[in-house]
Amino acid sequence: MNSSCATKTQAACQNCPIHHAANLKKLGVTMENWDYVTALAGNPNTGKSTVFNALTGLHQHTGNWPGKTVTRAEGGFVYRKARYKIVDLPGTYSLLATSLDEEVARNFLLFGQPDVTIIVVDATRLERNLNLVLQVLEITDRAVVSLNLLDEARRKKIQVDERQLARDLGVPVIPTAARQGEGIPELLQAISNVATGKIICKPYRLKDTIPAIDQVLMQLTSHVETLFPQLPNARWVALRLLDGDTHIIEAITTGELSNLSGLNAKSSATEGSLQVAS
Amino acid sequence: MNDKQENVIALLEHAAALRSQMGDNFHDHLSESLYAEAACIADRAVSHPPKKPRFDLDRTLDSIVTSRKWGFPLMILLFTLVFWITISGANIPSVLISHLLIDTIHPILKTGATNLGLPWWLSGFLLDGMYLATAWIISVMLPPMAIFFPLFTLLEDFGYLPRVAFNLDNFFKKAGAHGKQSLSMMMGFGCNAAGIVSTRIIDSPRERLIAIITNNFALCNGRWPTQILIASLFIGALVPAHLAGLISALAVVGVTLLGVFLTFLVSWALSKSVLKGEVSAFSLELPPYRPPRFWQTLYSSLIDRTIFVLWRAVVFAMPAGAVIWLTANLHIGNQTIAEYLINFLNPFGLLIGLNGVILLAYIIAIPANEIVIPTILMLTALVHGGNSGHEAGVLFTVESNSALLNLFHAGNWTLLTAVNLMLFSLIHNPCSTTIYTIYKETGSAKWTTLAALLPLGLGFCVTFVVAQVWKLLAG
């Protein structure tokens, strides 16, 4: 996209929002005709697919039950002359990847590095939804929270102070009722602001309450960084390693992690087929 | 490369060493702090209503639809209602469409072809084969689908399906399967290929395989029309007219429930034999009830499901129609190919209470269940159409359901044939799309073969037993 800028202002370019085209291609997303890639993450049944439809004008079938989207759906939209590709991820409660759908979502956020991640949360169940938000914010810097199902919250007389929430999370929070199309223009603007770098997010990072962990984590993070210099979110990978995450350990031993971090040109974009011991 | 591997091993060992240093409660500590921080942030942003509303509609509804006492009767009642509306509503538009497409447009096209001087085989191939096959599908399948799919989608959007899954969870646990299998089964009621992809929500490979193999017992889009049509023609005819719709609806519900029962039975058998293991824990979040957005649901169910299924049927049936016309007009000796095949399959078909036409139709319809009924109609007309002085392989005019029934009677269909066709439509091999999806998801030819042949074998057994018992009782 901009080879000229690479030599001159490398430091700035690392901060500016540009998708990792090579990694995305390995994940099966082509970016030929698009300027930015955005991902939709969130708990099951918070209306991700409805937000997807509202943004793209598509009619992806939405169902009122958790687990309707297990694979990724893709669409696109144009906003202020920039072309956005949008990827609807399966709904998950966490990114600890115990099942295939969680893995699909996590791999995309971790390795695909979308320019903007839209985290759709259920305004009536904010506390539980924030679990996932905090985990996503550990992985990515560029996020927008869509405080969805506002209509249901209103009906239940639950009030959410989106400004307070935005201050705490360090990312834009846009109240939406996607079924009614409410808040979609504001959401689009926030997405565009984050994608173009007009808004620089300062996402909330989990506090390490025990100092011992902090030190150990730093040690391991630097080890991960030396081995995979191009890998973003090395801290998060280190944290997962400390937790004994078998998926991440596997990704490291099979070389999938180094493939996706651009060290090895060999591609291995398998989107999870079930291995059965016979 | 070796260096790299050594580095990787060193890193993993480093991590393992540090992990043991952290102690066992590291993971708990991590999740706890995550929850605590989430709670803290939420607490600052959310203000709840001062006092809890006295009446919570969602909770009241849930206490009824998921109650031990009312859950199941209500479920049966709702599904019966849906099928009853479908069956009684589809009749009139069906007749109108077949009048238009078959009685009016087809003769015009034929005359046009003659005037243009098209050779008889070309006009037969195009108009009597491909056009009529398409016309049949549209008139027989469009009206019930256009009623059934929106109704089903409304139920889905309202949030009823997860409650059904909740009701069934206990049975799945007893069968040694995962509770989430009830969700993939719900998806299967739309399309088995989609249902099989949706088993990805199940973590354990063992339970996922059980869910994949048994998904075929959930009646799919392509099979609902068969069930609805045969039930309304044969089962409904057994009772006085004012009860016909209700009884046919109950028959379809019965077959659906049999499918659910078979899902449990086969899951149980698998988990006791080739796929032994523990049941893993499962939590299901019941989503809030949401008033469906009527017009949007109507639109998306018409576009996504009705037109989609219809299009698939037409795409697969046009070549099938052409093939059928060809087999009806090409001869081996003094028999047509179709007659030859039907006669070959007939003895086995009769043994299991079906006939050669139905079996041949199921072979032709492997690509799509949607074309079973049109293929059966065309083949029946082909073999027995001669009696009423029609050209071979040409569907003759059918003005109403009673004429359809006459066609079936001409093919020596009995009530047993109809019942066993409904059973066989439920219990037979998945369509080729589904088989391919199973292969893609499992990556194993062995399990794919099992998933394809197990229901077929079971179908033969069930129809055979029903046929033999029927003959004993009747004879």
Side-chain angles (χ1 to χ4, degrees), chain A:
Chain A
M1 204 172 151
N2 41 10
S3 54
S4 61
C5 115
T7 47
K8 238 162 103 188
T9 52
Q10 198 152 22
C13 266
Q14 272 166 357
N15 293 330
C16 81
I18 284 170
H19 45 264
H20 291 229
N23 285 356
L24 284 169
K25 206 174 167 190
K26 280 171 198 156
L27 285 163
V29 181
T30 51
M31 288 303 298
E32 262 164 33
N33 296 311
W34 307 96
D35 298 322
Y36 299 104
V37 59
T38 60
L40 270 170
N43 280 20
N45 213 39
T46 50
K48 282 178 300 303
S49 300
T50 314
V51 172
F52 178 85
N53 287 346
L55 290 175
T56 58
L58 290 173
H59 295 276
Q60 180 88 12
H61 182 68
T62 55
N64 182 13
W65 49 313
K68 182 81 202 191
T69 314
V70 278
T71 48
R72 295 187 320 230
E74 289 177 16
F77 60 90
V78 175
Y79 183 72
R80 292 195 180 151
K81 289 181 188 156
R83 293 154 305 173
Y84 294 79
K85 185 151 200 167
I86 181 164
V87 179
D88 189 9
L89 297 173
T92 56
Y93 292 107
S94 86
L95 294 177
L96 302 179
T98 51
S99 60
L100 252 158
D101 50 339
E102 276 183 19
E103 213 182 326
V104 169
R106 183 171 87 176
N107 283 354
F108 192 80
L109 293 179
L110 188 57
F111 305 127
Q113 291 198 52
D115 295 313
V116 186
T117 303
I118 305 151
I119 316 170
V120 184
V121 302
D122 178 350
T124 66
R125 292 168 173 77
L126 191 62
E127 182 178 332
R128 205 193 43 210
N129 279 245
L130 281 179
N131 263 315
L132 180 76
V133 175
L134 293 181
Q135 290 185 52
V136 173
L137 293 184
E138 284 287 300
I139 298 182
T140 177
D141 284 349
R142 295 185 294 268
V144 173
V145 169
S146 152
L147 187 65
N148 200 25
L149 304 180
L150 211 64
D151 45 334
E152 276 174 29
R154 253 181 249 134
R155 214 174 57 211
K156 290 182 177 168
K157 299 202 167 60
I158 297 173
Q159 280 181 335
V160 182
D161 182 353
E162 75 267 11
R163 290 186 179 190
Q164 177 66 42
L165 194 59
R167 264 201 299 277
D168 278 342
L169 293 176
V171 296
V173 174
I174 311 297
T176 53
R179 259 157 69 100
Q180 280 76 25
E182 208 183 307
I184 297 301
E186 291 84 352
L187 185 63
L188 278 167
Q189 189 170 11
I191 293 168
S192 148
N193 284 345
V194 172
T196 54
K198 257 187 210 153
I199 292 181
I200 305 289
C201 304
K202 294 189 188 66
Y204 182 93
R205 288 284 146 90
L206 290 174
K207 298 182 189 89
D208 299 305
T209 39
I210 302 176
I213 291 183
D214 211 20
Q215 224 180 2
V216 167
L217 190 61
M218 259 169 58
Q219 227 181 323
L220 197 60
T221 307
S222 66
H223 195 159
V224 172
E225 271 168 352
T226 46
L227 205 55
F228 306 107
Q230 291 187 28
L231 186 76
N233 9 73
R235 187 187 114 108
W236 189 81
V237 171
L239 199 65
R240 297 313 310 142
L241 277 178
L242 267 186
D243 200 12
D245 189 318
T246 47
H247 285 85
I248 292 292
I249 292 174
E250 208 184 285
I252 289 178
T253 39
T254 57
E256 202 177 348
L257 201 68
S258 58
N259 281 343
L260 285 166
S261 70
L263 280 181
N264 197 327
K266 233 168 59 186
S267 90
S268 68
T270 46
E271 205 194 290
S273 74
L274 178 67
Q275 293 306 318
V276 183
S278 41

Side-chain angles (χ1 to χ4, degrees), chain B residues 191-198 215 433-434 437:
Chain B
C191 167
N192 294 131
I196 279 153
V197 173
S198 79
N215 194 274
T433 313
T434 305
T437 310

Side-chain angles (χ1 to χ4, degrees), chain B residues 9-68:
Chain B
I9 291 166
L11 171 68
L12 292 180
E13 275 170 1
H14 187 193
L18 290 175
R19 197 184 313 143
S20 62
Q21 198 181 314
M22 301 306 304
D24 289 339
N25 50 11
F26 175 68
H27 181 84
D28 294 344
H29 166 77
L30 214 62
S31 333
E32 263 170 37
S33 67
L34 189 65
Y35 275 86
E37 285 173 54
C40 177
I41 296 175
D43 202 42
R44 291 210 291 207
V46 181
S47 55
H48 287 279
K51 59 178 174 189
K52 285 217 161 172
R54 229 175 291 156
F55 176 75
D56 187 332
L57 184 68
D58 275 29
R59 218 169 263 180
T60 317
L61 269 177
D62 268 342
S63 69
I64 300 169
V65 297
T66 63
S67 81
R68 275 164 198 275

